[in-house]
Amino acid sequence: MFSLSSPFGRKERDSYLKNIKEPSTVFDLCIVGGGITGAAIARDAALRGLKVLLVEKDDFASGTSSRSSKLIHGGVRYLEQLEFKLVSESTRERARLWKNSPHLAQPIQFLFPVFESSRVPLWKLSLGLWLYDLLAVFRAPGLHKRLSQSETKKTEPLLRGEDLKGSITYWDGITNDGLLTLANILDAHQAGAQTLSRVKYLNATKETILLGALPQEIFSINLQDTLQNENLSIKARTLILATGPWTDALLNLVPEISSKNFPERLLAPTRGSHIVVPRDRLTTEHAIVLFHPTDGRVLFVIPWGDFSIVGTTDLFDAENPDHTHISKEEVQYLLEAANGYFPEAKLNKEDIISTWSGLRPLLAPNKDKSESQISRDHYIRWFEPGVMIVTGGKLTTHREMAEEAVELLFDSTTHWTLPLSVPYSPCPTRARALPQFRYPQIGVSPQDAIGKSEAAQLSLDDVRGICRTQMVLTLEDLFVRRTEIFFKEKGNGWNLLPTLKKTLCEELSWTESDWTRELLAYKKYLEKNITKPLEKDFDPSSVLQEEHKLNF
Ligand code: FAD
């Protein structure tokens, strides 16, 4: 059963807003962005005693950080680009997460099949995986193993046998990216940080105020509470942009930086999309690594409970990151790979339960590098006195990135007159567990479960608990990031609305018109992210009579 820990919900939000508006409050740092990067920095800084505010314009993790491939990995494929330092750092952080927070990151065994036509021969792959095990200092649950053609077929009988030469198995990790981010937010919050979703950074100005007897330059930062459509202003000594693929847009909204009119873009984001299909249509024992049959790019089939994930694509995308979703062409590309290697699956778009797409916040390429070759390394830099940018990187290395950013924060403030409110203390997160969600739930009897899929084995009391302790503010928050209902329930949560209406309206203080607004917003989300018509058995209200428009 879901266990309530400290309240962190809609009902507490107003008091959090009141606290941050207090005119005498000056934060040490205001972090913009509630993805994994911002959340991890808030956690590290708050645990060191700093006065932290984090604002996220949408939901925590709603940007890239709930749209990854969900792997806690060293990055086997980065070996091809000779990124040994990145692989070594990532495998170290992978081992830390397995040890400190096994509830949020579990080992998963991969199988890398090699075919006659594969662009990497078996011997070379085997050599690469020796290096992978070495760089990980053997901290995985087991070493890589070479399998013959017949051993491979025995363990993965549905994998194409034609041209198959053999395979290699090795270990990496899997997580729930949205909850990993939320766990960082909750730890930060419990350590005293103010962490607010649906509060948007608008702009900032520099002001001189008296802090003690000394005149100090600080930021006066304008924010918008988008839930209640109210503007507010707060004060902070430093500003950290952890805005992932939004970073270039944000640079125009920061004093001093905007006036310099940067000619070049810092990032060149690429879009990666995934599809989810029932596991009984694409059954694998391992996570499978594949070279796409047309362009040779690496992609994965990842077992995910009763489902399989196929992903990902990798396309330059200069569109507004607010509107990222899968395209028809990407659906075809992913189906082509799955059907090419699992011919009996015969998947088509009607088999797809759900999809997601995210933008990798990759640093702009050096000349002559293709999308897949751009470095996944992170970028941490003071852009101007008091304005730090932290971006790039990976979910896997979030803790280390945050440590580096907070170290730089303490280090650099000795060089100018911005004393932080506490002296330096060492990084507190290296051996610290992230909070537990007691999730997924166990023991809900079938008659109490709100839905049929594994993701909906929750009682209404569980839903109340999630709302009260995990800052659920919309239907999308609940279905997409607090639970996996959108991805795994056949009706993507649309079918559960009659069951949930009373509980959600009570918990989130929604009126009838708020409920209708939520339905419309969630319907819009579904239209972008599912490839089949909505379930017909629920017609929630006359306002939703209009034709369901699919992108496909
Ligand atoms: P984001 O999560 O994008 O967070 C930035 C936040 O800033 C957003 O939530 C946004 O709403 C907010 N924001 C923007 N403007 C404002 C504003 N004005 N005011 C307030 N808030 C604002 N990494 C791995 O380790 N393993 C993987 O398997 C993996 N797979 C991936 C697959 C794909 C397809 C993608 C796209 C990435 C993958 N990654 C993976 C990389 C990883 O997901 C990202 O590096 C990471 O999530 C980036 O987090 P972030 O916090 O920097 O950015």
Side-chain angles (χ1 to χ4, degrees), residues 49-67:
L50 290 167
K51 212 166 167 44
V52 179
L53 169 66
L54 176 146
V55 290
E56 162 54 53
K57 73 178 171 57
D58 203 302
D59 183 22
F60 302 122
S62 60
T64 320
S65 298
S66 60
R67 297 154 180 264

Side-chain angles (χ1 to χ4, degrees), residues 28-29 50 103 126 175 191 194 210 212 228 231 234 263 266 275 312 350 417-418 445 474 483 505 523:
D28 285 312
L29 62 159
L50 290 167
H103 54 293
S126 182
T175 187
Q194 298 286 348
L210 277 180
Q228 300 174 106
N231 285 4
I234 61 102
L266 185 65
I275 56 174
T312 172
E350 279 70 39
T417 55
L418 281 172
S445 61
T474 67
T483 68
C505 286
K523 184 167 180 260

